[in-house]
Amino acid sequence: MPPKTVSFYTLGCRVNQYETRRWMARIPPEVTIVPYGDPADVIVINSCLVTSQAERDTRQAVHRARRANPGATIVTTGCYVDLHDDTTSLEPGLVVVERERKEDIPSIVAQLLGVTPSMRMVLPGFAPSASRPPLLIQTGCDKRCAYCIIPHARGASWSRPSTEILAELATMSKQYGEVVLTGINLGSWTEEGRGFGWLLGRLLDELPAGTRIRMGSVEPEYVTDEVISHLAHPRLAPHIHLPLQATSDPVLRAMGRPNTTSQYEMLCHRILKVNPAMAIGADVIAGFPSETHEDHLAGARWLAGLPLSYLHVFPFSPRPGTRAARLEGLPKATVKARAADLRAEDARLRARFLAALQDTEVEVATERPLPETGWYQGMSGSFITVDFRSSAPPPPLVRVRVDTVDSGAIQGEALDAPLPHG
């Protein structure tokens, strides 16, 4: 009898990646987890709808799965499912699992395949974020930014108990060089009056040498003095992603964002005062409905003076059910042109940041070998891809001397005394 098989396809954020990894770990060992795209009896699609492109990608993933595996059972879950009543109409026979039942997905898969639910000990190497796993600390969001549909899909903010987080970190730190703190609104974590800064300190205190923590995206209002006090910790990756979303105060107000451009700029400088090596990245939405030509030009000038290392640029796309969707949008050509301007600024910021890394030493979380060259690839603490030479298989976390900088990555050589692990 051929083995019973399941595959997983994950769209969207690290929270989705964490969920998929968690489901994989609870698939019975009698079931073979195969890479997405291989023939499978059951296919689980963890969906996204943060942008209109993410919605299209979700629909296309469902259609591709059906075409490639006509006899498979397709299980669809995630944010797309939670805000679309017509998900079942995408393809015949879809099994739709809403937010409240996500934890049951391993049991649902086991039932579909006729096996007894149980746990497996080792995830396959193609699991999402296989070498730098996410660690969920909270989910949901209580903010109501005018453009964002995610709070409607994910629900209210919920914080995971610190005891669970610490226990999971202890397990992860035995295997991985980097663990990425993850949440829908990461900085809003709270427990008995204690906030994200307290949790970050506890996690860093518990972390052994040879492993580091990376913060996911943290909203600026949650980067408190307590959080900032930890930013020079040797086991914290020198990188923080601060969502900005707009480059002018009028547009920030229209978006319902709680910060101003001057507050954001001051926060960047406060962070760099504590740790000058910190890489600071930002999200920016191009062409929000109320953004004037003057807003865009003045914002671009202001942005050019910020000490950022990169931008993630998103052309505005209206999300039905949000306040921004009721506003009169800008012409598509205008939105596209403004996004191009911001991406040009991103290229400049990245080039400046990369150039400063020449002939420095960086700490790299090893991700995979590069068989075509015999080198290895990993992620620097400052969130830059690094290709490096090593005379032996490197540990999960290794120091690399940078000798070449190009437009998209850096190259170097592993030092002779790699960090111990565990």
Side-chain angles (χ1 to χ4, degrees):
M1 178 181 294
K4 297 175 180 181
T5 55
V6 61
S7 67
F8 292 83
Y9 186 68
T10 307
L11 297 104
C13 65
R14 288 193 185 97
V15 173
N16 276 12
Q17 294 173 18
Y18 176 87
E19 291 170 341
T20 298
R21 291 175 62 88
R22 185 177 174 89
W23 300 333
M24 284 182 164
R26 294 163 57 204
I27 295 296
E30 299 91 340
V31 178
T32 300
I33 303 176
V34 299
Y36 177 77
D38 286 5
D41 299 310
V42 175
I43 303 169
V44 180
I45 297 175
N46 197 359
S47 66
C48 181
L49 87 167
V50 68
T51 64
S52 56
Q53 183 61 52
E55 287 191 295
R56 287 193 292 272
D57 290 344
T58 293
R59 292 190 292 268
Q60 290 170 1
V62 172
H63 297 320
R64 284 198 305 268
R66 173 56 70 221
R67 288 195 300 271
N69 290 267
T73 300
I74 301 176
V75 178
T76 309
T77 190
C79 292
Y80 184 98
V81 166
D82 290 320
L83 286 183
H84 284 275
D85 296 332
D86 61 347
T87 305
T88 54
S89 67
L90 290 178
E91 287 288 347
L94 286 187
V95 176
V96 174
V97 181
E98 296 83 4
R99 181 175 68 220
E100 294 77 13
R101 298 175 57 224
K102 276 184 176 181
E103 282 295 297
D104 297 333
I105 283 179
S107 297
I108 291 170
V109 171
Q111 182 180 13
L112 289 169
L113 294 174
V115 299
T116 302
S118 61
M119 297 283 286
R120 72 173 57 225
M121 298 305 295
V122 179
L123 290 178
F126 51 80
S129 301
S131 55
R132 299 187 301 116
L135 172 55
L136 184 78
I137 71 168
Q138 73 81 229
T139 189
C141 184
D142 296 331
K143 293 165 68 73
R144 289 296 183 267
C145 297
Y147 52 83
C148 187
I149 196 64
I150 297 304
H152 300 278
R154 286 282 181 174
S157 181
W158 173 82
S159 297
R160 194 176 179 198
S162 59
T163 52
E164 287 187 14
I165 299 168
L166 288 162
E168 188 166 1
L169 178 67
T171 300
M172 288 180 164
S173 65
K174 296 174 183 177
Q175 183 178 357
Y176 300 103
E178 177 176 299
V179 176
V180 184
L181 300 186
T182 300
I184 296 299
N185 187 359
L186 185 72
S188 68
W189 183 92
T190 184
E191 181 182 77
E192 298 179 353
R194 299 182 293 240
F196 175 62
W198 175 87
L199 177 66
L200 182 60
R202 282 294 311 277
L203 294 171
L204 290 168
D205 287 343
E206 297 288 333
L207 201 64
T211 306
R212 72 181 176 210
I213 287 172
R214 183 182 301 277
M215 293 180 290
S217 180
V218 186
E219 292 288 340
E221 64 267 31
Y222 295 112
V223 185
T224 61
D225 291 344
E226 189 173 18
V227 172
I228 291 174
S229 71
H230 299 304
L231 296 186
H233 196 288
R235 287 190 289 278
L236 181 68
H239 165 237
I240 188 168
H241 188 90
L242 296 177
L244 173 57
Q245 309 304 8
T247 58
S248 70
D249 290 341
V251 180
L252 286 170
R253 287 194 296 270
M255 289 179 167
R257 300 287 292 172
N259 52 285
T260 65
T261 53
S262 61
Q263 289 169 336
Y264 189 95
E265 184 172 357
M266 285 189 291
L267 177 59
C268 290
H269 288 293
R270 287 180 62 207
I271 289 169
L272 292 174
K273 185 176 181 180
V274 171
N275 186 355
M278 286 291 285
I280 305 174
D283 291 336
V284 184
I285 297 172
F288 188 77
S290 65
E291 184 181 66
T292 66
H293 180 64
E294 291 72 21
D295 289 333
H296 173 66
L297 292 179
R301 288 193 297 270
W302 171 75
L303 191 63
L306 286 183
L308 299 176
S309 61
Y310 67 86
L311 299 175
H312 288 165
V313 178
F314 300 91
F316 174 77
S317 61
R319 306 284 78 211
T322 63
R323 297 196 309 278
R326 300 193 294 268
L327 302 174
E328 183 178 354
L330 301 177
K332 289 184 179 180
T334 299
V335 175
K336 183 177 180 180
R338 292 181 185 178
D341 289 345
L342 293 175
R343 290 187 178 117
E345 182 60 30
D346 167 58
R348 188 190 69 81
L349 292 170
R350 289 176 188 267
R352 182 182 67 185
F353 190 80
L354 280 170
L357 296 176
Q358 180 71 50
D359 298 325
T360 65
E361 293 179 10
V362 295
E363 199 172 70
V364 176
T366 304
E367 294 188 277
R368 64 189 183 98
L370 299 172
E372 62 274 17
T373 62
W375 290 21
Y376 296 85
Q377 188 172 82
M379 184 63 69
S380 75
S382 55
F383 204 50
I384 302 294
T385 298
V386 181
D387 294 346
F388 62 96
R389 305 174 295 281
S390 182
S391 58
L397 201 60
V398 61
R399 294 199 69 82
V400 172
R401 179 73 179 180
V402 177
D403 54 34
T404 304
V405 174
D406 64 25
S407 60
I410 54 180
Q411 296 179 345
E413 186 162 1
L415 300 182
D416 292 335
L419 291 171
H421 186 72

